[in-house]
Amino acid sequence: MSVAAVGIAYLIFLKLYLYSVLLFFFWLLIGYRWFSAERKLIEHVLDFAEAVRYRDFTRRFAVKQPETLEGKLFSAFNQVNQVYKQISIDKEIQHQYLNKVINMLDSAIIFYQSDTGRVIWINDAFKQLFQTPHLGNIRGLTKRHQELYEKTIHMKLGAQQMETASSAVGKIKLLMHGSEFETQDGTFRIVVYQNINEAIDATETKAWQKLLRVLTHEIMNSIAPISSLAETLHDRLEKGYGEEDIDDLKVGIYTIKRRSEGLLQFAKSYRLINRVDEPNMQEIQLKVLFENIYQLLEPTLLQKTIEFDIILKDTRLVLKADVNLVEQALINLLLNAIEAVKDVDAPYISIAGLSRDGYTVIKMQDNGCGMPADIQEQIFTPFFTTKKSGSGVGLTLSKQIMLLHKGSLFVESQEGKGSSFILQFPG
């Protein structure tokens, strides 16, 4: 520009005004074109920066003259776009791969931001187990699963813990494990929930069978002294006895009678628990099943002035099961309910049937004394009982019956508010 100014001044000095004006407009045109080209290149750079900001790498710049500054700049833009586009494709592939792998897992998983509670993703197992098709914030769990939310928020990270929670299939035992990490975007937490109900049921069944084998052996050992005592009494009778021996004989015979009856009852209880018969599956209407149970225990209910309700909205609901076994399980539960409401002013028991999430559900509910949490954890253990005259077999047998039907039996109870036993049969 300085050269142009000197040239124009020289032409004016020579009084060549026309040429000086022409030279001025010529350089003005060149300057305008140069500034226009610069401005256009800057606009391209700004457009590219905007595209990078919004991660739009689909735009392609047409290179018409590769040797020009614009051509070289456009070629560089296209190369950067291609690199970032490939990175984006690789990242999406990794995301899809990770998503597929996580959704193949049986364990429920949630990934969320710790400070805001924003949920990044949940897998299919989480959606199915907790009936949660969408979750934007972990606080949304409070609407359906308040208990699960509290246990998740306050769980101890880095260590496994076992908890009981409500799910789509009722009360289940969960093995929970959580971990936390930090990035420049904040602190994130991953929590894994593993349903261990079936594993616990299978382990309990094996443990029960092992326990029964051991205890049966102990019963046989207990019979030995009874046999020895009987033999001693027999020898005394053979040799003759006097008046002074009658009291000893009576005591010995009564001891044999009492222990024999006790062992006989004990053996019956073992046999009930250890039955491994295949269920004889038949279709029966829940209406008929409930009426049979009521007719059997109607005298007891009337005698104890217990109000009993049968709740069945769909009277055509059918259950496929071993009728005899299921009746036995329901009788055990109803007898327990009768015992639970014995001290209540207005005793009430109901039995309900419904279809839910592909399962046929029977619910036995009472307004009795209820149970504390520690008792609920033990009631299905063989020979555990809170009754002075109880054998601790009824609930164990009922659970075994449900396991034979590939179903589940669980309890919901609060002290002073009653209990509910839920039998869940697969559809």
Side-chain angles (χ1 to χ4, degrees):
M1 297 298 291
S2 58
V3 173
V6 171
I8 293 171
Y10 180 73
L11 290 175
I12 293 174
F13 176 78
L14 295 176
K15 297 183 179 181
L16 299 173
Y17 300 114
L18 179 62
Y19 289 105
S20 63
V21 171
L22 291 174
L23 181 61
F24 171 79
F25 281 106
F26 175 76
W27 279 108
L28 189 63
L29 178 63
I30 291 176
Y32 175 78
R33 294 190 63 181
W34 183 78
F35 279 114
S36 295
E38 285 289 317
R39 184 177 179 181
K40 193 173 182 180
L41 288 177
I42 291 173
E43 287 177 354
H44 285 311
V45 172
L46 292 176
D47 289 343
F48 180 75
E50 189 75 6
V52 171
R53 178 184 175 186
Y54 291 105
R55 302 188 179 188
D56 178 17
F57 304 112
T58 59
R59 183 176 178 184
R60 186 163 186 83
F61 297 85
V63 181
K64 297 179 180 179
Q65 297 177 333
E67 299 302 322
T68 63
L69 181 62
E70 182 183 74
K72 292 179 180 179
L73 184 64
F74 284 2
S75 295
F77 286 171
N78 290 335
Q79 290 175 6
V80 172
N81 268 344
Q82 187 61 34
V83 170
Y84 275 96
K85 186 176 181 180
Q86 188 60 47
I87 291 174
S88 180
I89 292 173
D90 292 342
K91 185 178 178 180
E92 182 63 21
I93 291 174
Q94 291 178 357
H95 175 76
Q96 292 292 338
Y97 174 78
L98 180 63
N99 194 48
K100 288 289 184 184
V101 171
I102 290 174
N103 282 327
M104 289 174 64
L105 299 176
D106 292 332
S107 300
I109 302 175
I110 184 172
F111 176 35
Y112 68 96
Q113 196 166 355
S114 299
D115 48 355
T116 65
R118 182 173 64 92
V119 173
I120 311 302
W121 47 252
I122 53 178
N123 68 342
D124 290 344
F126 187 99
K127 296 176 184 178
Q128 294 170 6
L129 186 61
F130 301 116
Q131 291 291 289
T132 308
H134 174 73
L135 191 63
N137 193 290
I138 192 167
R139 286 186 286 273
L141 277 178
T142 57
K143 295 179 180 179
R144 294 188 179 183
H145 305 285
Q146 176 69 36
E147 186 181 10
L148 180 67
Y149 170 78
E150 296 292 340
K151 290 177 179 178
T152 300
I153 293 298
H154 299 109
M155 71 178 298
K156 184 178 180 181
L157 298 176
Q160 290 184 338
Q161 62 187 64
M162 192 168 69
E163 299 285 356
T164 302
S166 299
S167 73
V169 295
K171 285 271 187 177
I172 60 171
K173 288 192 180 296
L174 293 173
L175 188 64
M176 297 172 57
H177 181 78
S179 60
E180 199 172 73
F181 62 91
E182 293 184 6
T183 69
Q184 61 183 9
D185 296 325
T187 305
F188 296 87
R189 183 179 291 186
I190 297 178
V191 182
V192 180
Y193 310 84
Q194 186 178 0
N195 182 357
I196 56 175
N197 253 24
E198 293 183 1
I200 289 178
D201 286 341
T203 303
E204 285 181 353
T205 300
K206 290 180 181 178
W208 291 340
Q209 291 173 347
K210 183 177 180 180
L211 175 65
L212 294 175
R213 287 195 296 268
V214 173
L215 292 179
T216 303
H217 176 71
E218 293 302 318
I219 290 175
M220 296 303 297
N221 288 343
S222 298
I223 293 175
I226 294 176
S227 176
S228 176
L229 178 58
E231 185 177 358
T232 300
L233 294 176
H234 179 267
D235 289 342
R236 290 185 65 175
L237 289 172
E238 286 289 324
K239 294 176 181 177
Y241 62 92
E243 290 291 334
E244 68 279 3
D245 296 321
I246 292 179
D247 289 339
D248 290 340
L249 290 173
K250 286 181 178 180
V251 171
I253 293 171
Y254 177 74
T255 301
I256 291 174
K257 177 179 180 294
R258 182 172 54 83
R259 288 298 303 140
S260 298
E261 289 176 347
L263 285 174
L264 180 62
Q265 185 60 40
F266 206 41
K268 286 180 179 178
S269 298
Y270 282 125
R271 188 172 62 220
L272 283 173
I273 296 176
N274 201 33
R275 67 179 301 165
V276 291
D277 302 337
E278 285 295 322
N280 180 22
M281 308 296 280
Q282 298 176 359
E283 286 192 352
I284 183 173
Q285 288 185 325
L286 286 187
K287 176 184 176 182
V288 176
L289 178 64
F290 291 171
E291 288 176 350
N292 290 344
I293 299 298
Y294 176 71
Q295 289 172 2
L296 182 65
L297 292 170
E298 181 181 12
T300 302
L301 294 167
L302 293 176
Q303 180 186 0
K304 297 179 180 293
T305 64
I306 298 173
E307 184 182 351
F308 184 81
D309 273 344
I310 294 177
I311 304 171
L312 193 61
K313 292 183 178 180
D314 185 0
T315 57
R316 298 171 298 177
L317 198 59
V318 173
L319 176 67
K320 188 173 183 180
D322 187 312
V323 177
N324 293 326
L325 291 179
V326 173
E327 281 187 355
Q328 183 63 51
L330 292 177
I331 289 169
N332 289 337
L333 295 177
L334 186 51
L335 289 173
N336 281 351
I338 291 172
E339 178 71 18
V341 300
K342 67 179 182 179
D343 296 324
V344 177
D345 293 335
Y348 174 79
I349 300 173
S350 67
I351 184 170
L354 65 150
S355 180
R356 183 177 64 193
D357 298 326
Y359 292 88
T360 302
V361 179
I362 298 175
K363 184 175 183 180
M364 184 86 69
Q365 188 170 2
D366 66 68
N367 66 341
C369 55
M371 292 176 280
D374 57 335
I375 297 296
Q376 294 180 48
E377 296 290 336
Q378 303 178 67
I379 58 174
F380 297 114
T381 304
F383 309 109
F384 175 83
T385 180
T386 57
K387 307 173 187 176
K388 293 182 179 180
S389 60
S391 63
V393 173
L395 288 176
T396 303
L397 175 60
S398 297
K399 181 146 189 174
Q400 286 291 87
I401 289 172
M402 293 306 298
L403 290 176
L404 285 175
H405 287 81
K406 303 189 185 307
S408 58
L409 170 62
F410 50 92
V411 62
E412 296 176 350
S413 182
Q414 292 186 33
E415 284 189 272
K417 294 185 178 181
S419 303
S420 297
F421 283 87
I422 295 94
L423 299 85
Q424 192 165 256
F425 296 85

